[in-house]
Amino acid sequence: MTSAMPEFSYACGVSAEPLLGLTVGDLLDSTVARFPDNDALISRHQGIRWSYRELGRRVDELARALLGLGIRKGERVGIWSTNRAEWTLVQFATGKIGAILVNVNPSYGAAELDYALNHSGCRYLILTDRFKTTDYHAILAEVAPELSSCDPGTLKSKRLPELEWVISTGESHAGMLDWSALLGYARRVTPEALADSQASLAFDEPINIQYTSGTTGFPKGATLSHHNIVNNGLFVARLMNFSDQDRLVIPVPLYHCFGMVMGNLGCVSHGATMIYPDEAFEADSVLEAVAEEKATALFGVPTMFIAELGSPRFSEFDLTSLRTGIMAGAPCPIDVMRRVRKDMHLEEMEIAYGMTETSPVSMQTRVGTPLDKQVSTVGQVHPHVEIKIVDPESGYVLAPGETGEFCTRGYSVMLGYWNDADATAGAIDAARWMHTGDLAVMDDEGYVNIVGRIKDMIIRGGENIYPREIEEFLYTHPDISEVQVIGVPDEKFGEELMVWVQPNPGASVDAESVREYCRGQIARFKVPRYVRIVDAFPMTVTGKIQKYKMREQSIAELGLEPGGKPGPDAGD
């Protein structure tokens, strides 16, 4: 329930259930003790089915191996992988020893990998082999070619000076430990030594760094504590009425809070089952997992549900076991919500809102929320969380119905941005309010509608993209003088990327060469779909670029209708 809010756009989530004072490792141990025989993890594409007893045993073995390798509390361990059982083992094993898990986006190219590993100071990196056309070993070799001629643990890389150990979850490669060799280090550490190490941890200590796209041209590392993520996972699932009998299909990526916190920790906090249908999203594999595993819950961004509903095989699958789920990451069209509730039997589907910096959820609809509130708002405040809508200039709290910046405070607010005090101070004020940069309106019942963004952010299929990051990268192109990135409407993804490029005098640049320059260096979802070569940009009289005019011109010239459907003249 939330506090009454008769005058100001402020609400506080109250709860009879207290926050948990547990570390990630303690949470797992508690669940293993309570529900040892429950299905804990099913990774269908790997043929893995583990009970909580088995998951606990494997996590302990890996935690001892990491200690045996020399990893200690506070050291950074990177995980660069698609959704696999190993990802989850690493998540909980690092939680047991206090090593800080650095989530590396599996879509990263060489430049982004370089930045994340160096900025976080990773001494250890665990990676998978490949997924579809992405060869992770080849990308790492581009950044650290010295790996091919060194022994495991002795890497001395010019571009990655702090990285020493590379561990492959798959095939053995020069300079790397394979997974079985890593587990062999467990023999060096007794269970008692692991228990002592775990007991030395405090729940307010950092345990996770997640990189978010940055407005200053580089991603920022949101640093989260055990307390942040254990409790957010607990209360997200609690508001879905989770129990140890629930079975959740998780097609969202584990490197996101949506997967590792709302999914993994939400399940573990209740003794529920984590189900990975595939390494990455594929509509039919999700539907098969729901039907064959008798799943009760399903997560996804709206585009995922749209793809599932649109599968030619949709009618083949029995989805009647479904009860609840969460749709987040982008606004939900009302027709999609109606179909999800009716055709997928998700009558208790909920909407959630948040950001990586708040662990992530601060708003969520509840069971019984009216349909119009489900699709026009992001729900009401979370338990133990405060929210307010303020005037962006004065900071004063606004009245219900007025538009202002959404701010939140409480246990869920991150510790800060890793190694970036200035960015932290710019996001979290002296009273510990997180300023989200989102424009919102709160009604008299405490429901919040996100209506825009102060920050110049693009949301493409649930992925947050800041234009400045892509602009900074394209400025490294030798033939580009000026570049501006904007979002244009798209029927499938909500928004698509468009870049306006002004070449250097005498240089020859075309749309495909710009895209080719991006491929392999930045994530695929950041490669612009539309490229326009220009001589100049629309400017104010004071010389400021007018992005809103660029967007208006682009929509007209591309023939994009209001819903994002390309007209007959759409193209580069």
Side-chain angles (χ1 to χ4, degrees), residues 234-472:
L234 168 72
F235 283 104
V236 165
R238 183 72 84 236
L239 293 183
M240 298 167 66
N241 294 329
F242 252 41
S243 76
D244 63 294
Q245 296 303 302
D246 277 294
R247 299 167 69 81
L248 171 65
V249 172
I250 306 174
V252 294
L254 294 177
Y255 75 88
H256 270 174
C257 277
F258 202 169
M260 68 162 284
V261 178
M262 299 164 67
N264 283 358
L265 290 174
C267 284
V268 170
S269 65
H270 290 76
T273 305
M274 302 167 276
I275 303 170
Y276 306 156
D278 211 331
E279 290 194 63
F281 175 74
E282 198 281 317
D284 284 352
S285 67
V286 172
L287 296 170
E288 288 174 357
V290 169
E292 295 180 11
E293 302 296 343
K294 303 300 180 187
T296 62
L298 175 61
F299 281 179
V301 300
T303 52
M304 291 180 176
F305 286 100
I306 291 169
E308 290 153 14
L309 289 163
S311 168
R313 298 181 56 202
F314 182 81
S315 62
E316 297 176 22
F317 303 104
D318 180 0
L319 309 181
T320 55
S321 61
L322 284 174
R323 173 183 64 83
T324 187
I326 286 183
M327 195 183 304
C332 172
I334 189 167
D335 181 62
V336 174
M337 179 59 79
R338 285 197 180 104
R339 291 192 61 199
V340 162
R341 292 173 63 169
K342 177 178 180 290
D343 298 339
M344 300 184 75
H345 308 281
L346 286 161
E347 296 179 359
E348 298 179 9
M349 173 61 75
E350 299 180 8
I351 300 293
Y353 162 83
M355 59 194 306
T356 304
E357 290 89 337
T358 57
S359 306
V361 175
S362 51
M363 305 290 295
Q364 189 171 334
T365 59
R366 274 64 162 174
V367 174
T369 298
L371 179 61
D372 65 318
K373 297 286 189 182
Q374 282 189 323
V375 296
S376 65
T377 78
V378 292
Q380 296 171 303
V381 66
H382 237 236
H384 301 287
V385 171
E386 295 174 274
I387 60 170
K388 64 180 180 178
I389 311 297
V390 303
D391 182 285
E393 298 296 326
S394 68
Y396 290 134
V397 182
L398 299 172
E402 294 186 343
T403 299
E405 184 178 17
F406 181 93
C407 298
T408 183
R409 179 170 69 176
Y411 79 87
S412 59
V413 174
M414 66 175 179
L415 299 178
Y417 291 116
W418 183 262
N419 204 24
D420 197 336
D422 290 342
T424 302
I428 303 173
D429 65 25
R432 289 292 296 172
W433 285 99
M434 177 76 205
H435 291 254
T436 67
D438 286 330
L439 293 170
V441 178
M442 184 186 291
D443 69 17
D444 290 323
E445 296 179 283
Y447 286 95
V448 171
N449 179 24
I450 305 298
V451 298
R453 297 183 294 277
I454 298 173
K455 300 173 183 177
D456 190 18
M457 185 174 71
I458 298 164
I459 300 181
R460 180 190 181 276
E463 293 281 0
N464 294 347
I465 304 171
Y466 288 95
R468 184 66 183 273
E469 180 184 355
I470 302 169
E471 291 164 359
E472 290 288 343

Side-chain angles (χ1 to χ4, degrees), residues 488-517:
V488 294
D490 182 78
E491 186 176 46
K492 180 178 181 181
F493 293 106
E495 290 183 286
E496 265 288 6
L497 286 173
M498 181 173 190
V499 58
W500 285 35
V501 171
Q502 182 178 344
N504 286 321
S508 177
V509 178
D510 60 26
E512 186 53 32
S513 68
V514 172
R515 296 190 195 96
E516 186 58 36
Y517 188 76

